[in-house]
Amino acid sequence: MKKNRFYLTPAWRSIFRRLLWHTTAFMLLTSLFFLPACEKEEDNGPSRAKWTIMGYFNGNNDLDVGQAGTSYIIKDLQEMEWVGSTRQVKSVIMLGSLKTGGNVACYEIGQHENQLPDEILSPVALDLGTKDMSDPQTLIDFIAWCSENYPAERYALIINSHGAAWYGLCPDEINGSDDLMSMPKMRSALANAPHLDVIVFHACLMGSVEVAYELKDYADYMVACETTMPALGILGADTWLAELVDNPKMDSYDLSKRIAQCVYDEGVEAQRFHTHMAVTDLSQIDALGAKLSEFGNRLVSEVGDNWDEVYESWEKTHYISDNFPSLTDLREFVKEIMQRDDLGQINLINNAADELLSALNAAISFTKSNSLDVPFGGLSIHFPNNEENFRKEAYQKLQFAKTNWHNFVAAFIENAGNGGGGGADDEARIYGTVTWPGHNLSENTSVLVCYQENDELNILGSVGVEADGTYGVIITGLQQPQDFLFAGHDDVNGNGTIDGGDGFGFWDKDQDGNWTTSDILNVEPGHHYTDINIALAAQKSLAVKSRPWMDILSTQPRHFSPSGVISVK
């Protein structure tokens, strides 16, 4: 039996051959048409992510010492490694550290856990060797490299280092001269960079009006701390970065707020007081600058004989940092002006103050602080009361000079300020830092102001130490120069005496390791003194010559001053 088969007539075979030829030609032309497009896509380089997080982590300075001898900077990177990068969210960190010998490298952050101290498990994407991270060109090159190799729809830049408000940031004591990258130099570094959606300062004191004004044209939101930050690795990236990875469509403000909240939460969890973070909407800074200009100009033109009330407002306003007493909380000062008996009744001044507060509220999108005694309004401002702290020439190099605030400050110093740098004529100010290598300072750390009388050592009073180790003392009632000695004590167990397990140290003026009369500071009224730094050590390890004075102090009352003011009267 024959098998059935499909049979085509000659006419149908001809039609089939023509159809086959046209189909083949169409497929060939289609492949030729799409081939260049495929090649062009390859030439475009990496695909665009939703977000690229660029971290400029400069640990080439003493910020990198602490936490039992481990690196703060590397700890912050490790927090980001706990989350890693994805196709939609890329994290790239340039890091230099004392732990790397100052060598700088760029890391493409991968997902890693259980790192050992100072261990970086993410691969090195670019080894740069020794680079001065205080040089703005280093920042320029890093941002350009990131935008080329990790393009994204949105960019966030995290600056992680020392900060000093408008004075600058990012000192590099290994590869540079330990100078700061000034704010005008940082502004120039961002001028040709991709527009930033978020800029984060994981650094002290960068929440200032001047810093915001320098950056207003180059970013949408600024996340920064108005005061000093806790001396801990508290970037909080294990939380906010994880949330961004889960929701890469998160907008710029929401990310800014989550970063600020997470840093704040970690500071509070670590039981650090004066923890503060804020988000500033940089699109509102032009308006804020205009209202500030009007406020300053009205004070100069309308104050008349009431400069004493301007000084009273300045004196009642908290300064932000012991090491930078010219940094003043702007919101608090404006409110103090409105509360003065005479100034508060001058319509032009009062209206300008009210409009400035409204502009501040519009610019500061989010602010949070756990400080009960110092109201951090969100942004500080440079407001010295003497020429020494003014630094007028450098200050006028800022874009902020357009607001004419420097003219008000100059008028204030001339009419109401006090020369000599210490405030009133009968007071002096002392600033310094307390450290305890290999330890985190407890909240019971204080500085003792001591004096000799009839060859006996006495405690005039004591003041607390900030979470980052800084302290400030205002000694009032000085009628003539007087000799003082300064000691530091970390009362670890909180029992009020110097005993085992405590840290104790002193200002060692002659650096001989012994606490003697050669370490006396002759304090003159009307002056201020900086770098009165104290290094603590376990009390049992102190030199023999230092122990008698330490034993005397153990038995004396401290006369603790929470305000930092101690009187000799």
Side-chain angles (χ1 to χ4, degrees):
M1 182 176 178
K2 291 183 179 180
K3 294 181 180 180
N4 294 328
R5 66 178 181 175
F6 185 74
Y7 177 76
L8 291 177
T9 66
W12 277 106
R13 283 200 298 271
S14 176
I15 293 172
F16 181 77
R17 282 196 298 267
R18 286 197 298 271
L19 182 61
L20 181 62
W21 185 89
H22 285 297
T23 302
T24 304
F26 175 79
M27 294 177 64
L28 178 61
L29 288 172
T30 300
S31 64
L32 290 174
F33 178 80
F34 282 105
L35 183 59
C38 295
E39 291 176 349
K40 185 176 181 180
E41 184 175 344
E42 289 181 3
D43 291 340
N44 279 339
S47 59
R48 287 164 62 88
K50 291 291 184 183
W51 280 93
T52 291
I53 311 297
M54 302 178 289
Y56 193 76
F57 286 19
N58 175 23
N60 289 342
N61 48 60
D62 61 2
L63 179 72
D64 212 36
V65 179
Q67 295 191 158
T70 62
S71 166
Y72 294 126
I73 293 290
I74 295 177
K75 177 64 169 60
D76 289 335
L77 182 147
Q78 288 178 337
E79 281 190 6
M80 300 184 76
E81 284 188 320
W82 297 343
V83 179
S85 297
T86 65
R87 185 173 60 86
Q88 297 289 357
V89 179
K90 300 290 186 182
S91 294
V92 189
I93 306 299
M94 173 184 276
L95 182 143
S97 166
L98 298 181
K99 298 293 184 177
T100 65
N103 288 315
V104 177
C106 296
Y107 300 86
E108 181 177 338
I109 300 302
Q111 201 280 324
H112 302 283
E113 297 178 352
N114 302 318
Q115 308 100 317
L116 294 173
D118 300 330
E119 183 179 34
I120 300 175
L121 298 179
S122 296
V124 174
L126 186 65
D127 188 347
L128 297 170
T130 56
K131 278 284 184 181
D132 180 1
M133 295 192 73
S134 66
D135 185 348
Q137 188 61 50
T138 305
L139 179 58
I140 291 171
D141 293 343
F142 171 62
I143 295 174
W145 179 80
C146 283
S147 60
E148 179 181 352
N149 291 278
Y150 303 92
E153 296 176 13
R154 292 176 174 174
Y155 293 96
L157 174 65
I158 303 172
I159 306 290
N160 194 342
S161 188
H162 273 308
W166 71 269
Y167 298 90
L169 70 168
C170 284
D172 189 325
E173 65 185 42
I174 298 179
N175 303 321
S177 59
D178 203 21
D179 287 336
L180 296 170
M181 182 193 302
S182 69
M183 286 311 301
K185 288 182 177 179
M186 183 178 180
R187 184 186 72 246
S188 68
L190 298 181
N192 296 316
H195 187 81
L196 299 174
D197 295 82
V198 182
I199 184 164
V200 180
F201 290 106
H202 195 60
C204 294
L205 305 172
M206 297 307 291
S208 81
V209 180
E210 296 90 350
V211 172
Y213 203 92
E214 292 297 295
L215 303 178
K216 63 184 178 63
D217 297 326
Y218 307 117
D220 293 335
Y221 293 96
M222 178 179 82
V223 181
C225 174
E226 184 180 350
T227 183
T228 52
M229 295 191 69
L232 295 168
I234 57 166
L235 184 58
D238 54 321
T239 301
W240 61 258
L241 185 56
E243 293 174 0
L244 181 63
V245 165
D246 289 341
N247 178 24
K249 293 183 179 180
M250 186 183 298
D251 65 29
S252 303
Y253 172 67
D254 286 341
L255 178 60
S256 300
K257 185 177 179 181
R258 288 304 298 144
I259 294 173
Q261 181 70 58
C262 290
V263 174
Y264 171 82
D265 288 345
E266 288 214 2
V268 172
E269 185 179 356
Q271 297 178 309
R272 293 300 188 265
F273 300 108
H274 298 321
T275 297
H276 170 263
M277 288 301 287
V279 177
T280 301
D281 182 350
L282 296 179
S283 70
Q284 299 293 323
I285 294 301
D286 279 327
L288 176 60
K291 298 305 180 184
L292 178 65
S293 176
E294 177 71 8
F295 175 70
N297 290 342
R298 289 301 184 190
L299 282 174
V300 173
S301 64
E302 306 299 326
V303 69
D305 295 329
N306 295 310
W307 280 107
D308 59 327
E309 288 196 347
V310 180
Y311 181 81
E312 182 183 359
S313 300
W314 174 86
E315 192 172 43
K316 287 180 176 294
T317 303
H318 290 84
Y319 58 87
I320 300 303
S321 166
D322 293 330
N323 287 331
F324 295 92
S326 66
L327 300 181
T328 301
D329 186 83
L330 177 56
R331 188 191 300 272
E332 186 182 10
F333 173 68
V334 176
K335 288 184 175 180
E336 287 291 344
I337 286 289
M338 298 174 76
Q339 293 174 19
R340 301 284 73 80
D341 292 338
D342 293 325
L343 292 179
Q345 303 305 313
I346 300 174
N347 287 338
L348 291 176
I349 292 177
N350 199 56
N351 291 341
D354 193 57
E355 290 180 4
L356 178 52
L357 287 177
S358 295
L360 270 170
N361 291 335
I364 302 170
S365 307
F366 174 84
T367 181
K368 201 161 188 180
S369 169
N370 68 341
S371 174
L372 300 179
D373 55 341
V374 180
F376 295 118
L379 290 171
S380 70
I381 195 166
H382 182 56
F383 191 2
N385 76 322
N386 57 74
E387 290 288 350
E388 183 179 356
N389 288 337
F390 192 1
R391 298 188 63 184
K392 185 176 182 179
E393 183 178 350
Y395 195 60
Q396 288 185 261
K397 292 180 180 179
L398 299 173
Q399 292 291 306
F400 188 72
K402 297 175 182 178
T403 67
N404 204 36
W405 176 255
H406 61 277
N407 184 59
F408 162 71
V409 173
F412 171 74
I413 292 172
E414 179 181 354
N415 291 280
N418 296 281
D425 291 337
D426 68 340
E427 72 178 36
R429 300 189 180 207
I430 291 90
Y431 306 106
T433 303
V434 178
T435 58
W436 190 358
H439 297 75
N440 292 325
L441 298 177
S442 79
E443 61 183 16
N444 300 320
T445 304
S446 60
V447 169
L448 314 178
V449 181
C450 309
Y451 67 97
Q452 272 192 302
E453 187 174 61
N454 299 325
D455 295 327
E456 292 186 1
L457 188 69
N458 300 277
I459 299 176
L460 179 67
S462 64
V463 298
V465 175
E466 299 286 346
D468 65 347
T470 58
Y471 76 91
V473 183
I474 302 175
I475 302 177
T476 64
L478 289 169
Q479 302 302 318
Q480 60 187 9
Q482 189 165 335
D483 293 339
F484 293 100
L485 295 126
F486 300 88
H489 175 213
D490 189 344
D491 187 11
V492 175
N493 57 16
N495 66 356
T497 62
I498 305 171
D499 51 19
D502 288 358
F504 185 84
F506 46 88
W507 180 54
D508 192 5
K509 180 179 179 181
D510 58 4
Q511 298 293 306
D512 68 348
N514 295 302
W515 196 27
T516 63
T517 54
S518 61
D519 299 314
I520 285 175
L521 176 67
N522 185 253
V523 176
E524 298 184 37
H527 285 69
H528 81 264
Y529 303 85
T530 59
D531 296 325
I532 309 302
N533 301 324
I534 300 170
L536 305 184
Q539 58 89 15
K540 63 182 179 181
S541 66
L542 291 175
V544 174
K545 290 183 180 179
S546 305
R547 295 189 66 82
W549 276 1
M550 182 192 73
D551 293 338
I552 292 172
L553 295 183
S554 295
T555 63
Q556 292 192 15
R558 298 296 177 87
H559 309 295
F560 182 75
S561 170
S563 65
V565 178
I566 298 173
S567 177
V568 299
K569 293 181 179 180

